[in-house]
Amino acid sequence: MRITFLGTGSSAGTPVMTCRCRVCRSNDPRNQRLRASILVEEEGVRLLVDTGPDLRQQILRAGVVSISAVLFTHFHADHINGIDDLRAFNFAQKEIIPCFADARTAQELQARFRYCFLPPDATWAKPSLSITEILDALDFGPLRVTPITLLHGKLPIFGYRFNNVAYLTDLKTIPDESLALLQDLDLLIIDCLRYEEHPTHLNVEEALLWARRIGARRTYLTHMTHDVDYAELAALLPPRVIPACDGLVLSA
């Protein structure tokens, strides 16, 4: 399995507009973070997780020419507002792109982007998507995708398990029934917003606590703000826990 980090930033990205802090002015490319998203690939199946506002830039940088489906974690703007750019895949593939989400996110997508879910036109010039509520694990060729319910503050959202890889972004806690679905992971990718506590996201200390509880063989931290300097965080972390950076490609 191949995992590409299309973006590892928070809702504002890094650098942050109007900010002149040292991380936003850093020359370290690992401190340049687009909004959080990943691409998961296995034997020709390509699953995109979320369509943030940086989607066009992310897809061009990663050289992605087709996708099999889109999985949405939740309906916040930094995870959905690039949905219109999926039309490039419609035009290239000449097919409706299937999208999957929880019930609330599916409703929000249809309400905010109604035109994306209408029947395709003859030229495939606009997004042509279908939306399906995920109720249980789904198989996409060799990839078994299991939705993992997380709490983003008080809001239930989805993380996803792909075979032995889990992607858990935008969370504050993991219910016990979800924790049971996260055993025996080769790779965990988990939210790590900043050092200071936040009401709806994990901070560094909390991310490390959950990483220890889950016990994956490797853990990568994502969804980081400009409060986090990559090199400084990396120097503080225990073995097998690593900050992710945009463009990073992993095998699992």
Side-chain angles (χ1 to χ4, degrees), residues 78-99:
D78 56 319
H79 294 263
I80 68 170
N81 273 12
I83 195 170
D84 185 82
D85 284 329
L86 291 176
R87 61 183 171 147
F89 293 111
N90 291 123
F91 187 79
Q93 297 172 211
K94 302 295 189 290
E95 60 186 6
I96 296 171
I97 295 172
C99 300

Side-chain angles (χ1 to χ4, degrees), residues 51 55 80-88 90 96-97 106-121 124-131:
T51 60
L55 180 63
I80 68 170
N81 273 12
I83 195 170
D84 185 82
D85 284 329
L86 291 176
R87 61 183 171 147
N90 291 123
I96 296 171
I97 295 172
Q107 293 168 2
E108 292 283 348
L109 288 168
Q110 290 173 298
R112 299 186 202 183
F113 304 102
R114 177 179 175 272
Y115 72 100
C116 294
F117 300 95
L118 297 175
D121 61 28
W124 298 94
K126 67 174 185 65
S128 297
L129 314 174
S130 65
I131 186 72

